[in-house]
Amino acid sequence: MSILINKDTKLIVQGITGRDGSFHASKMKEYGTNVVGGTSPGKAGQEVCGIPVFNTVKDAVAATGANTSIIFVPAPFAKDAMLEAIDGGIKLVICITEGVPTLDAVLAQRYAKIKGVQVIGPNCPGLISPEESMAGIMPTNIFKKGHTGVISRSGTLTYEVVYNLTQAGLGQSTAVGVGGDPVVGLYFENLLRMFQDEPETDSIA
């Protein structure tokens, strides 16, 4: 019914103690996403919205079994955050951060490919499988569970397309904002193949 994320997704939030990280961690948890932890160096043992904080991704994965990470850190640190997630045992990395230097993105994407890790972003709104899991900054009220896959570079246009699909009675299996930067991870061709292999997705927008 969905690709990449579902009810079994165990998500950690890198940068959870920052303003954006804490706000969106709360929103994702409220939606029903299984947010199992967050990271912030030097702040292990704290909690944010009832979510435990760890010093490193490796610590968080060891304690929670997390398989997915979402990154809310300033652009100068995004490369290191992606590399840490890749080395820490995460299988899907979602980088929300915008303004990541292009060469940093090239390095991180190359390393992810070598390690067999999937990356969404950077500079993206994330993704959602309605009524299952949301890893990103999307307005969840416009989404409806269904059989249409959505792929877009633009966050705002993702929301516009989804709103109109929902108004027309066409629910979504998964909606993915791939990111608007010159260098991003999973892109249209990759995601189209995933949707084509998902038997309950019968259309793609």
Side-chain angles (χ1 to χ4, degrees):
M1 193 68 181
S2 60
I3 63 169
L4 295 170
I5 60 171
N6 53 40
K7 291 180 180 177
D8 295 326
T9 295
K10 294 182 178 181
L11 181 70
I12 60 169
V13 180
Q14 291 177 256
I16 194 170
T17 58
R19 182 195 63 186
D20 292 343
S22 60
F23 176 80
H24 290 292
S26 172
K27 293 298 180 184
M28 290 184 288
K29 184 179 177 182
E30 286 176 14
Y31 186 70
T33 302
N34 188 16
V35 184
V36 296
T39 66
S40 188
K43 297 185 179 180
Q46 297 184 18
E47 287 191 352
V48 173
C49 305
I51 302 164
V53 179
F54 301 88
N55 283 329
T56 67
V57 171
K58 191 169 288 187
D59 290 344
V61 170
T64 66
N67 53 24
T68 303
S69 175
I70 187 166
I71 295 173
F72 293 97
V73 303
F77 310 113
K79 178 191 73 175
D80 288 342
M82 286 188 277
L83 296 179
E84 182 189 357
I86 293 163
D87 273 336
I90 294 296
K91 298 304 180 186
L92 174 64
V93 178
I94 302 136
C95 186
I96 303 298
T97 307
E98 60 181 300
V100 177
T102 300
L103 290 180
D104 285 2
V106 169
L107 191 154
Q109 301 292 359
R110 176 60 179 160
Y111 191 56
K113 187 173 182 179
I114 291 170
K115 293 290 189 177
V117 174
Q118 296 174 316
V119 179
I120 301 289
N123 187 21
C124 75
L127 66 164
I128 181 171
S129 296
E131 298 182 18
E132 294 193 53
S133 184
M134 190 273 283
I137 57 175
M138 295 181 167
T140 56
N141 60 299
I142 65 173
F143 291 87
K144 174 184 177 181
K145 190 175 182 69
H147 304 281
T148 299
V150 179
I151 313 169
S152 176
R153 290 186 72 218
S154 164
T156 304
L157 289 178
T158 302
Y159 312 150
E160 182 71 17
V161 168
V162 166
Y163 175 80
N164 282 284
L165 285 171
T166 298
Q167 290 297 108
L170 297 171
Q172 305 85 46
S173 55
T174 301
V176 186
V178 299
D181 283 357
V183 177
V184 296
L186 293 174
Y187 211 56
F188 288 90
E189 182 179 356
N190 311 104
L191 295 164
L192 282 168
R193 288 176 177 172
M194 291 182 189
F195 278 125
Q196 287 169 350
D197 292 337
E198 205 296 293
E200 293 192 46
T201 296
D202 57 22
S203 58
I204 302 171

